[in-house]
């Protein structure tokens, strides 16, 4: 996920580059590597390089209801500004950006997209992952995956506070 920007940094404002991304990386910190693919557009601006990426991958998630692992497509789209830390011509260090959260281009003029890809991937993962919006979940009694068929447990137990009432009905 690294792009050498030394050439682009020496070009006039408005110069652009297109890059292809095709790399496997641990993007959601689950210890697994997922193939990330897509395109990035780089634009030389007055003070930085503006990077716009449209990437996609498929991650493995665990369903919140039935605990089954399933593949979930992920779109990773972002636009971030990368600020140089050294002057590309002289090699002299540049003042650090005021915004602490800014992404930077290292002293070898390398733009490392890994951190941005990681941050945007984590944001793109649904908070409550479901294998299917109609996932039936697990039986609370026997743990059977109800997507694979009904279990033999008696149908939903009635709250004892209502039992007297049901007798009347
Ligand atoms: Zn499920
Ligand atoms: Zn059951």
């Amino acid at each position: 996920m690294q792009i050498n920007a030394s050439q682009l940094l020496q070009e006039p404002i408005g110069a652009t580059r297109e890059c292809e991304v095709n790399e496997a990386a641990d993007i959601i910190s689950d210890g697994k590597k997922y193939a990330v693919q897509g395109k990035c557009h780089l634009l030389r601006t007055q003070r930085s390089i503006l990077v716009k990426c449209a990437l996609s991958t498929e991650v493995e998630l665990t369903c919140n209801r039935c605990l089954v692992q399933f593949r979930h497509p992920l779109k990773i789209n972002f636009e971030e500004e990368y600020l140089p830390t050294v002057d590309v011509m002289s090699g002299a260090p540049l003042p650090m950006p005021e915004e602490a959260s800014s992404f930077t281009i290292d002293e070898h003029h390398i733009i490392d997209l890994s951190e941005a890809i990681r941050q945007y991937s984590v944001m793109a993962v649904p908070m409550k992952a479901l294998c299917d919006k109609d996932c039936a979940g697990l039986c609370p009694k026997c743990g059977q995956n109800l997507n694979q068929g009904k279990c033999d447990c008696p149908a939903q137990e009635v709250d004892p506070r209502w039992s007297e009432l049901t007798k009347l009905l």
Side-chain angles (χ1 to χ4, degrees):
M1 312 274 177
Q2 295 189 332
I3 300 167
N4 189 327
S6 65
Q7 212 46 49
L8 188 56
L9 283 166
Q10 294 171 51
E11 287 174 27
I13 293 163
T16 60
R17 279 284 185 294
E18 301 291 334
C19 300
E20 297 259 343
V21 172
N22 192 353
E23 234 176 279
D26 179 2
I27 49 171
I28 52 170
S29 309
D30 63 353
K32 292 178 196 143
K33 287 197 166 187
Y34 301 108
V36 178
Q37 286 167 329
K39 284 192 168 71
C40 293
H41 179 84
L42 279 64
L43 171 70
R44 173 74 165 120
T45 70
Q46 169 101 45
R47 65 163 198 171
S48 70
I49 289 184
L50 197 63
V51 182
K52 199 172 170 178
C53 292
L55 310 172
S56 60
T57 186
E58 222 178 58
V59 292
E60 213 164 84
L61 300 178
T62 303
C63 177
N64 222 270
R65 283 189 202 148
C66 71
L67 309 180
V68 159
Q69 296 226 315
F70 65 101
R71 310 283 293 180
H72 178 80
L74 218 62
K75 292 247 174 284
I76 313 158
N77 298 321
F78 63 90
E79 192 173 316
E80 286 291 345
E81 190 176 28
Y82 283 77
L83 297 161
T85 49
V86 295
D87 185 279
V88 69
M89 298 300 185
S90 65
L94 293 171
M96 283 305 283
E98 280 152 38
E99 314 95 286
S101 60
S102 298
F103 289 108
T104 52
I105 304 172
D106 76 6
E107 67 274 25
H108 307 294
H109 317 300
I110 300 291
I111 293 177
D112 189 352
L113 296 176
S114 312
E115 181 55 21
I117 291 175
R118 200 193 58 72
Q119 286 183 13
Y120 284 89
S121 299
V122 169
M123 278 192 267
V125 170
M127 292 278 279
K128 272 199 169 185
L130 291 180
C131 65
D132 186 284
K133 67 175 174 39
D134 298 320
C135 172
L138 302 176
C139 168
K141 288 210 142 170
C142 69
Q144 151 106 0
N145 183 341
L146 299 174
N147 296 312
Q148 291 161 5
K150 281 205 159 31
C151 57
D152 297 324
C153 297
Q156 193 132 56
E157 263 184 41
V158 178
D159 186 309
R161 284 170 294 178
W162 294 105
S163 58
E164 286 305 308
L165 198 67
T166 31
K167 267 180 220 161
L168 296 174
L169 294 171

